[in-house]
Structure formats: structure tokens, C-alpha cells
Amino acid sequence: MSKRTCLAIVLAAGEGTRMRSARPKVLHPVAGRSLLAHVLHAVRGAQVNAAAVVVGPAMDTVAEEARRALPSAQIFLQRERRGTADAVLAARAAIAKGADDILVIFGDTPLISADTLKRLRAAIAHNVSVAVLGFRPVNPTGYGRLITNGHRLVAIREERDASDIERRIDLCNGGLMALRGDVALDILGRIDNKNAKGEFYLTDAVTIADAMALEAVALETKEDEVRGINTKAQLAEAEDVMQWRLHDAAMEAGVTMVAPETVYLSADTKFGHDVTIEPNVVFGPDVTVEDDAVIHAFSHLEGAHVGKGASVGPFARLRPGAKLGAKSRIGNFVEVKAVEIGEGAKANHLAYLGDGTVGAGANIGAGTIFCNYDGKNKNRTEIGRGAFIGSNSALVAPVKIGANAYVGSGSVITDDVPSGALALGRGRQVNKAGWQLANGSTAKQKPTPKSAPPKKSAPKPVAKKKAAKKKR
């Protein structure tokens, strides 16, 4: 198969009206990656030489996503939605280049695997002209049935057109198809729209191939692989399947998950050996966790790199650009964005670190914030090796704290601090004795013990009356 060339045609022109969303259906995410990107990821793994993505009018965002996921993808436009065969023929120019294998894949099947696409390719490597992917659902109601005669596939029958006997068939159409390149255009060109909807159906390729004395076969796969996403409920079901796949793969590779059902992984999350993940952790896109690191409960990571033996959380947030060195510690309620944390450095609680660097072995006290935004620009804070930042300090960027410098607690630092210096950026404490009483304090007096009798106040001295002067 490695010597055969292959063109994958990905149909992504559907509007997805049942999703009840302004976003095109294939752009909805599963495990942090769009449905279309999942499909193109599988295409890349199937050793495909070229990919054609068919989009509908005003679907520039879909075309952009296709190029982002697979830069070599060619974009073709299906101007009118006239059925699946018409959508495939929108890429006629790509088909005409003469690839040995033509794969037709739907852009809303994110669970399809590269191995299954390879199986489809292998099925047409010799005398078979058409291969269709089938599955056996628990309840086949509503699905098209694959009609076989011995090992040959002779038709795909929609349920509404099937006989009672045909409806008893439990092998159903999964939609994905492979065609031999030298006969693909001939088969597709014979498909007509003489049906109730007036559309050109790709499923008719099987009947036409049989009429042309060309062999077609059915390959079977699991239902999950061919799940098409048409509703938000189906999107959630696909997410659940994908999460279990990712969990199983991570644990198989040596990751310890205390409660895997509570951990959310992205499709591109990377783990080293002996990583431990506690419950209720979310991994957004583009996260790497190196060997022996521990991600404590209720943490959220996205676009971050966690070094060997580092500790994150609980209740920590790593945003894009966070890079934690070996054995560093980011504790509870600490947020890190676009900051490189040096080896052994720590910010154990209640801090915001945004845009900057923290040197190896530095300590960031509780309540410290990097004041990185001046209303227009994001500025950097640079903290040297072994520096100590006291609790409740505000570092107003751009600012540099030298190696082994010390910032006193409660300081607002606006100027650079030399290495080894002590910086104090706060007002001097002043105590005003008796201030509460002088300002009418309502503080309660200490209660008198019950065992002690109340003290009687001393009688006031009687003032002597002055003798009135007699009038003369």
C-alpha cells in the first residue's frame, strides 16, 4: 500500500442546522479539537498523499480550519447542495490527477481512525473497485443496509426502500467509502438524481459498480468509528467516547489517574512517565507534562509546559505560555500566564504571575501580583535566581528584581531592585495610641464575672450651699 498514491476527499459542506448554532457543524470541538481537524488528523496518519476538503458557500472559516489542521489540503466549493456524490465531484480536478486510491470521508466523523482508513485502502489494492465501511448498531432502525451476495456488496438500501427481509440485515452503512482511482470518475459520473429528493447519492456507486461488473465489498468496524455528529447530544456522546480513549491511552502509557472519569483531556495532551493526576483536572489544548510531575485536584491547564517533578495545584491555573521548570511548585489559587518558572522556584498560594520570568529557586509570597498591563501594553517582570518576594507585593512592570534580592511584604515595586538588595515600597507604620476611645469607639467593655458582686459607686459629696446675703 505504501507504493500506492491516495487522495482523501473530506466532505465538509453541511450546514448542521440541527446543531442550533451559528458555527459550522464541522468546527464544533471534541477534546479541544474540531471535528474536521480530527478527521484530517486521521487522514494524515493513513499515509495519504493529497487531501481535498469540500466546503459550502460562505464557509471561509471551515477552509481556514482545514488549512490549519493540514496545510497541504486543497479546498473545493460545492456551490449547491445536491447530494453526497455531487459533493465528491466538486473535487473532480483532484480526482482527475489519477491517484491509485480515493477515500471519501465525512467531516463530522471525529472518531474515525487512521488504521481503519488504511484498511479501506488495502481493500481496493487488488481487484476490488469499491469498499464501503459498515457497522452493526444495537438498533439498526433508520440506517441504510448493506446488501451482500456472498462476499460481494451489491447495493446499499435505504431503510424506507428496503424490503422486510432486507430490514432484518444488521450490517449498516457507515458512509465512508474507498474507490479505485482509475474507475472513480466513471462510476461517479453515472450516478443520477432520479429519486424523491432529486439528489445525487454516493451510495448509488455500489449498484453502479455491480452493473459495470466491478467488485464492491463491505468492511466492518465498530459503531463509534462512524458516529456522525448532527446534534449537540451526539456531540456530547462523541466527547465521552473520545475522553475514554484518551484516558485509556494515557494510563496504558503509565499515567496515574486517581479518578479518570473526572479528568478532561485534549486530543494533543502529552504525558511523560510516572505522572500523577488527581481528580477534577482540565487539560486544554497544547499541554505537555513531563516525568514525575503531579497535577493536583481542580487545576486547569492550557498551552502550558510542566517540567520534570513539578507540582501544580490544587486549584491552580496555567494559561498559554506558562513554562514550569523541574521541581518547581505552583500552589493553590495561583495563576500563571506567559511566565517561565525556573527550576525549584515556587509560588505556593494566592498569586498572579503574568508575562515574565522567575529565576531558579526564587520564592513568590502569597498575594503577590505581576502588574503586567498598563491599559495598552503587556509588560514583563523579571525575577532573578534566589530572589524572595514578600507576601502581598505588587510588582509594577516593566521591572527587574535582581538575584537574591528581597522585597519586603506589602511593597509596591516600581523600580528595578539590584541583586542582593532589600526593597521596601510602602509607607512607614505609625501607631496612634488611644485613637479608638478618642474617636468614639463602640468597642464593648469586658463583661464583669458573675461571681463578683457589682461594685457600688461611691456617694457624691454634697456641695455646701453658700449663705445668701441679706438685703440691707
Side-chain angles (χ1 to χ4, degrees):
M1 188 181 68
S2 60
K3 296 180 181 179
R4 295 174 62 86
T5 59
C6 180
L7 167 68
I9 302 174
V10 180
L11 306 185
E15 292 179 314
T17 54
R18 292 170 60 193
M19 298 292 280
R20 302 291 190 268
S21 173
R23 177 187 298 180
K25 177 172 66 170
V26 297
L27 297 188
H28 283 76
V30 165
R33 179 184 286 169
S34 72
L35 306 183
L36 178 58
H38 278 290
V39 172
L40 292 175
H41 183 76
V43 164
R44 187 188 297 112
Q47 301 173 2
V48 167
N49 304 91
V53 179
V54 179
V55 304
M59 283 193 169
D60 293 343
T61 53
V62 175
E64 290 169 4
E65 175 69 359
R67 294 191 183 99
R68 184 162 43 247
L70 189 62
S72 62
Q74 306 169 66
I75 308 300
F76 293 90
L77 177 64
Q78 184 187 19
R79 298 186 182 280
E80 298 179 57
R81 292 179 176 85
R82 302 191 302 170
T84 48
D86 180 69
V88 173
L89 283 172
R92 180 188 293 270
I95 300 171
K97 291 181 180 179
D100 295 316
D101 306 333
I102 307 295
L103 286 175
V104 180
I105 315 163
F106 292 93
D108 65 351
T109 55
L111 301 174
I112 191 66
S113 69
D115 287 342
T116 297
L117 296 181
K118 289 179 182 178
R119 286 178 57 214
L120 275 172
R121 290 190 62 189
I124 59 170
H126 299 291
N127 297 322
V128 174
S129 296
V130 179
V132 175
L133 200 58
F135 68 106
R136 298 182 191 274
V138 176
N139 180 7
T141 302
Y143 291 108
R145 307 303 204 276
L146 300 186
I147 312 300
T148 57
N149 181 6
H151 69 279
R152 292 176 65 98
L153 177 65
V154 296
I156 301 176
R157 192 88 71 226
E158 294 303 322
E159 187 177 59
R160 62 179 176 273
D161 301 322
S163 66
D164 290 340
I165 294 177
E166 289 172 338
R167 289 181 183 181
R168 295 174 191 167
I169 298 172
D170 63 353
L171 183 60
C172 298
N173 179 30
L176 283 72
M177 183 179 294
L179 299 97
R180 210 174 71 220
D182 59 348
V183 295
L185 283 177
D186 194 6
I187 292 172
L188 294 168
R190 298 184 185 213
I191 296 175
D192 60 40
N193 63 343
K194 295 177 181 178
N195 51 62
K197 288 191 174 182
E199 294 186 354
F200 298 86
Y201 294 132
L202 182 62
T203 51
D204 289 346
V206 173
T207 306
I208 290 170
D210 187 61
M212 295 170 64
L214 299 174
E215 186 175 356
V217 297
L219 274 66
E220 189 173 340
T221 190
K222 295 180 180 179
E223 182 176 3
D224 284 341
E225 288 229 43
V226 292
R227 282 178 183 264
I229 310 301
N230 292 302
T231 66
K232 292 291 179 65
Q234 292 172 345
L235 184 70
E237 291 170 359
E239 181 74 70
D240 186 58
V241 173
M242 182 64 76
Q243 287 302 316
W244 279 112
R245 280 188 184 180
L246 296 171
H247 294 158
D248 289 346
M251 290 186 287
E252 185 68 23
V255 175
T256 297
M257 292 189 185
V258 178
E261 68 279 5
T262 70
V263 175
Y264 179 90
L265 298 177
S266 285
D268 61 353
T269 306
K270 297 179 179 66
F271 295 113
H273 298 295
D274 294 312
V275 171
T276 298
I277 304 170
E278 293 183 356
N280 298 297
V281 175
V282 174
F283 291 89
D286 192 25
V287 175
T288 297
V289 182
E290 293 189 21
D291 298 352
D292 302 311
V294 178
I295 312 299
H296 294 283
F298 295 98
S299 295
H300 188 288
L301 299 81
E302 180 178 355
H305 188 110
V306 179
K308 186 175 182 178
S311 174
V312 178
F315 295 97
R317 185 182 182 195
L318 303 186
R319 291 171 57 193
K323 186 175 181 180
L324 277 55
K327 297 183 179 180
S328 59
R329 293 168 59 185
I330 297 298
N332 49 288
F333 303 104
V334 175
E335 180 179 352
V336 182
K337 188 271 291 185
V339 173
E340 185 171 344
I341 308 293
E343 181 176 353
K346 55 188 176 182
N348 279 331
H349 19 242
L350 301 164
Y352 169 67
L353 314 180
D355 299 290
T357 57
V358 176
N363 181 85
I364 309 297
T368 295
I369 59 172
F370 288 10
C371 305
N372 58 329
Y373 184 52
D374 61 10
K376 183 178 180 181
N377 299 309
K378 297 290 181 68
N379 301 300
R380 292 177 59 79
T381 298
E382 297 179 18
I383 297 177
R385 295 176 60 91
F388 188 99
I389 311 301
S391 298
N392 200 36
S393 294
L395 309 181
V396 183
V399 70
K400 295 181 180 180
I401 311 298
N404 301 308
Y406 196 109
V407 173
S409 296
S411 293
V412 176
I413 301 300
T414 57
D415 297 321
D416 292 351
V417 180
S419 296
L422 167 64
L424 298 171
R426 62 191 183 208
R428 185 177 295 277
Q429 180 173 323
V430 177
N431 294 336
K432 296 184 180 291
W435 182 88
Q436 285 185 308
L437 293 175
N439 287 274
S441 171
T442 58
K444 294 181 180 179
Q445 300 295 326
K446 291 183 178 180
T448 304
K450 293 181 179 180
S451 58
K455 293 182 180 180
K456 294 182 179 180
S457 56
K460 294 181 180 180
V462 179
K464 294 181 179 180
K465 295 182 179 180
K466 293 182 179 181
K469 293 181 179 181
K470 293 181 180 180
K471 292 182 180 180
R472 293 184 180 179

